[in-house]
Amino acid sequence: MKTIRTSFVLVVFLVLAVPALAADMPLLVSAEWLREQLGALDLRIVDMQSGAADYRQGHIPGAVYLDVDDARVKVPAGGYRLPNPDEMQRLLARLGIGRDTRVVIYDDSGGLDAARLFFTLDVYGIRNVAILDGGSARWRATGGAWTPDVPRVPQPAASPLTLDAARVADADWIKAHLGDKSVALLDARSPGEYTAKDVRARRGGHIPGAVNVEWTRHLRADGTFKPIEELRAMYAAEGITPDKTVVTYCQTQHRASHSYFVLRLLGYPKVAGYDRSWSEWGNRPDLPIEAAR
């Protein structure tokens, strides 16, 4: 596959040459793991709780705050897009993330906001990134330290980076691959949105051939992720298998970033996100839809 994204051509720097993942840095980390890493000079913790007020009241020591909307860029026509390279450089500088930084993201929404930042970082080739399992609730329940102190963020050296086109899909690419058995479309929205009972664009329904696996199915009741083998079996049962190129989408690639993260966690080699998602597809009359399945 040469490229997935055809409409987002970037003439920028060379791609980051970083390892796929540090040996001691899993994609999903526990509160116990993070406690042992607190204070490490190469570690950046990103707090994505519901609002800045929550962050000011308390957060994991050393964490910097990021609103989910700062991990994406609003589009006037509706929905969001990924930051361009200049916007991405500013975001990394604000968070204090450099080439060798290990990043742990947490939130209070079952990993939903954290996954959106994970997607943004991942498609730019920043690989030493993990999500804290269970987020702030799990951290505090297990006795993790909590502080209102705001850390000073060191400015990292700017790293050359470019968007990994194989990790991002656009409407044209998806339309051209409808019916392709080597491609699986994963709809992370609610069943109501998928079947057009809940319409959030000019048209309701789903992209033809898409499989509906709502993002909440990844989680236990306490907000932690289900076991790897259970998640693997769930996706296999839906025909979402590692041999396919899997494209995730929802309304704005927010919930679908959770699905993107889980598939990366499962080791799927060909995963992409449709960043404009149903906010574009559902509003474009030239694109085909299915209303029920």
Side-chain angles (χ1 to χ4, degrees), residues 92-212:
L92 295 177
R94 171 182 168 184
L95 296 175
I97 296 174
R99 177 186 294 274
D100 300 319
T101 308
R102 295 182 300 154
V103 182
V104 175
I105 317 164
Y106 73 92
D107 59 27
D108 53 3
S109 57
L112 185 62
D113 290 349
R116 189 59 180 79
L117 178 58
F118 176 92
F119 172 65
T120 300
L121 296 174
D122 196 54
V123 301
Y124 270 100
I126 301 169
R127 299 285 187 250
N128 286 338
V129 182
I131 289 178
L132 177 62
D133 195 13
S136 55
R138 180 68 179 170
W139 175 260
R140 300 188 73 179
T142 57
W146 203 245
T147 179
D149 297 338
V150 177
R152 296 183 62 182
V153 179
Q155 292 296 302
S159 297
L161 50 87
T162 188
L163 186 95
D164 183 351
R167 294 288 183 195
V168 185
D170 64 14
D172 291 338
W173 189 93
I174 294 172
K175 184 179 180 181
H177 288 81
L178 291 178
D180 187 337
K181 299 300 183 183
S182 68
V183 174
L185 301 175
L186 175 57
D187 187 321
R189 300 175 301 161
S190 68
E193 292 168 89
Y194 179 79
T195 59
K197 293 179 180 177
D198 181 357
V199 178
R200 303 187 184 185
R202 292 176 185 171
R203 304 179 301 166
H206 56 270
I207 299 175
V211 173
N212 183 217

Side-chain angles (χ1 to χ4, degrees), residues 7 14 19 35 37 64 71 90 116 180 183 189 191 195 202 205 218 224-226 238 255 261:
S7 63
L14 297 175
R35 267 199 296 274
Q37 302 294 320
V64 296
R90 290 194 292 271
R116 189 59 180 79
D180 187 337
V183 174
R189 300 175 301 161
T195 59
R202 292 176 185 171
H218 302 145
T224 59
F225 285 81
K226 292 177 180 177
E238 298 288 353
R255 291 169 286 177
F261 170 76

Side-chain angles (χ1 to χ4, degrees), residues 49-63:
Q49 294 183 86
S50 299
D54 292 326
Y55 173 78
R56 288 192 295 269
Q57 290 176 7
H59 49 266
I60 296 174

